[in-house]
Amino acid sequence: MLDVTQNLELDRTFGRTELVDPFGRAISYLRVSVTDRCDFRCVYCMAEDMSFLPKAEVLSLEELDRLCSAFVARGVRKLRLTGGEPLVRRGIMTLVGSLSRHLRAGHLDELTLTTNGSQLAKYAADLKAAGMRRINVSLDTLDPEKFRAITRWGSLNQVLAGIDAAQSAGLKIKINTVALKGVNDDEFPRLIEWAHGRGMDLTLIEVMPLGEIGTGRLDQYLPLSLARARLAERYRLDDIDYRTGGPARYVRVAETGGTLGFITPMTHNFCESCNRVRITCTGTLFMCLGQEDAADLRKPLRASEANDLLFGAIDEAIGRKPKGHDFVIDRRHRRPALSRHMSVTGG
Ligand SMILES: C[S@@+](CC[C@H](N)C(=O)[O-])C[C@H]1O[C@@H](n2cnc3c(N)ncnc32)[C@H](O)[C@@H]1O
Ligand code: SF4
């Protein structure tokens, strides 16, 4: 059991003022990276020889609970656990179980997860029992060899077994597929028909220039405007109004009846409706995925058992949330626009 006695004290402060940034956007969605570690080494996300953080720098499960609860107390209604791979964090189910009290209390609308699926067979039933309703699973190909080449260390069969287990447990699944030029772009119809055939939505994601990964970003980048145009030759894609406040735009594929999303940070500006912030496993708050500016919340968290310092630091940080970002792959130097990896903030 997680000892959250101190955090329960915090729960009694619910109803404090909501977090609203200088541009009037209410912050209702928090994404939390619970570990920087992963059992895969996807080529667009990590270098093969990644070095990971020492344990002392990473927030404990109690600290993660306290930090998440502070945001829930300030109006966050949706919490997504991510990583690295969230399901390889030791004790992850203890954290999920403890955070689920906010669902039961009606302070949180959704507790969810983005996972590579490798550990789902083990955890799916427990996640459902803790109140999760739907999760995102990342899957870029249905070809076992290609899967191994993209993830370097992953096994497609293990992930497919995880997806089976999650569906049997009653979890709704959205598949996230990173579009990689010359790697999986010929597979989109197959992936769409497979996902929709199993009642899962699918979202295509443009590769974002985050972190040194050892291979050229320009070689991987496929503008989704192009992918969409190609898909439109084969399917009828009807725009639908569904929005999540994030960078995704959705269509209904008439032939399958399923929903297809496009996350296009490189070709589309989605900042005006941004309702989210991100926390790393060291307690660093990023107000924008595409900017370097960040606030250290671990210091106030560890400095005092009372939450005044923490709330002060959160307020100060949200007051600096920028209007937007501008991702650019530096064509002259072939460098990423930002040096941190996606596994730091968890997407
Ligand atoms: C960083 S992962 C963390 C959660 C989990 N390990 C997973 O793969 O789902 C979150 C999402 O970010 C995506 N991602 C990682 N690096 C990316 C990049 N450079 N550009 C776009 N998406 C990326 C992954 O495909 C995944 O869907
Ligand atoms: S995308 Fe997810 S599964 Fe792949 S290396 Fe990054 S964190 Fe791990």
Side-chain angles (χ1 to χ4, degrees):
M1 259 313 265
L2 206 60
D3 179 9
V4 290
T5 330
Q6 186 189 328
N7 303 357
L8 293 174
E9 187 57 40
L10 175 75
D11 293 3
R12 282 192 268 283
T13 64
F14 279 65
R16 288 173 76 122
T17 45
E18 285 193 354
L19 296 168
V20 179
D21 79 3
F23 305 95
R25 296 168 297 190
I27 307 305
S28 56
Y29 180 13
L30 176 68
R31 303 171 63 109
V32 186
S33 174
V34 298
T35 177
D36 62 332
R37 287 164 199 260
C38 187
D39 52 346
F40 291 4
R41 290 288 181 281
C42 302
V43 290
Y44 47 79
C45 178
M46 292 193 183
E48 190 154 18
D49 56 342
M50 293 287 285
S51 42
F52 294 108
L53 293 162
K55 200 167 165 231
E57 289 196 25
V58 176
L59 299 184
S60 67
L61 296 174
E62 283 82 1
E63 287 170 330
L64 282 168
D65 180 280
R66 185 171 157 214
L67 201 46
C68 293
S69 301
F71 276 88
V72 175
R74 297 296 305 279
V76 158
R77 303 289 311 179
K78 176 171 173 182
L79 201 56
R80 178 179 298 281
L81 306 181
T82 171
E85 173 47 41
L87 296 181
V88 303
R89 171 82 199 244
R90 191 170 300 164
I92 183 67
M93 282 315 303
T94 318
L95 178 65
V96 171
S98 127
L99 289 172
S100 69
R101 71 185 183 281
H102 300 311
L103 289 173
R104 289 189 299 276
H107 293 139
L108 195 60
D109 296 328
E110 187 169 8
L111 175 60
T112 184
L113 182 82
T114 299
T115 174
N116 66 23
S118 70
Q119 309 300 313
L120 265 182
K122 189 160 136 202
Y123 290 125
D126 293 343
L127 293 171
K128 183 68 174 42
M132 276 197 195
R133 292 192 301 269
R134 44 181 196 168
I135 57 174
N136 290 357
V137 179
S138 305
L139 182 72
D140 303 327
T141 175
L142 288 167
D143 175 322
E145 277 165 33
K146 226 187 255 182
F147 187 87
R148 174 54 64 112
I150 294 172
T151 62
R152 291 198 186 101
W153 295 3
S155 143
L156 176 66
N157 276 341
Q158 198 176 329
V159 171
L160 293 179
I163 290 174
D164 286 342
Q167 288 199 304
S168 305
L171 288 166
K172 273 198 70 127
I173 297 182
K174 191 186 84 176
I175 300 291
N176 280 339
T177 301
V178 174
L180 300 164
K181 187 165 79 185
V183 178
N184 65 354
D185 44 349
D186 59 336
E187 244 193 290
F188 297 158
R190 183 180 175 207
L191 278 159
I192 290 168
E193 287 171 27
W194 168 77
H196 290 178
R198 298 183 53 137
M200 306 184 291
D201 294 341
L202 184 136
T203 294
L204 295 172
I205 306 177
E206 267 174 6
V207 159
M208 290 178 247
L210 299 186
E212 280 297 346
I213 48 161
T215 48
R217 293 281 182 197
L218 285 171
D219 302 337
Q220 297 176 340
Y221 176 57
L222 169 75
L224 285 188
S225 46
L226 202 67
R228 183 177 169 153
R230 277 194 214 139
L231 288 170
E233 290 170 9
R234 183 189 278 249
Y235 304 110
R236 201 181 88 209
L237 307 178
D238 298 325
D239 278 310
I240 50 178
D241 220 12
Y242 178 61
R243 293 270 165 102
T244 59
R249 296 291 174 265
Y250 295 91
V251 297
R252 174 104 47 230
V253 181
E255 289 76 0
T256 63
T259 301
L260 174 65
F262 298 91
I263 298 191
T264 56
M266 307 285 287
T267 51
H268 223 278
N269 209 321
F270 52 88
C271 304
E272 66 286 346
S273 59
C274 181
N275 60 353
R276 60 199 60 194
V277 290
R278 297 170 167 81
I279 293 180
T280 70
C281 62
T282 57
T284 302
L285 176 69
F286 282 94
M287 286 72 87
C288 171
L289 179 62
Q291 302 267 6
E292 299 280 11
D293 188 27
D296 175 17
L297 299 183
R298 186 179 60 190
K299 209 164 159 203
L301 192 70
R302 290 187 174 170
S304 155
E305 289 196 354
N307 292 302
D308 298 351
L309 288 178
L310 179 59
F311 280 128
I314 293 173
D315 281 325
E316 206 262 329
I318 299 300
R320 299 205 308 267
K321 184 168 160 66
K323 194 167 179 196
H325 71 254
D326 184 22
F327 281 124
V328 188
I329 297 177
D330 183 332
R331 284 169 195 276
R332 266 180 317 137
H333 302 100
R334 300 175 76 88
R335 273 199 310 252
L338 293 175
S339 59
R340 73 176 190 271
H341 289 90
M342 185 67 102
S343 51
V344 174
T345 48

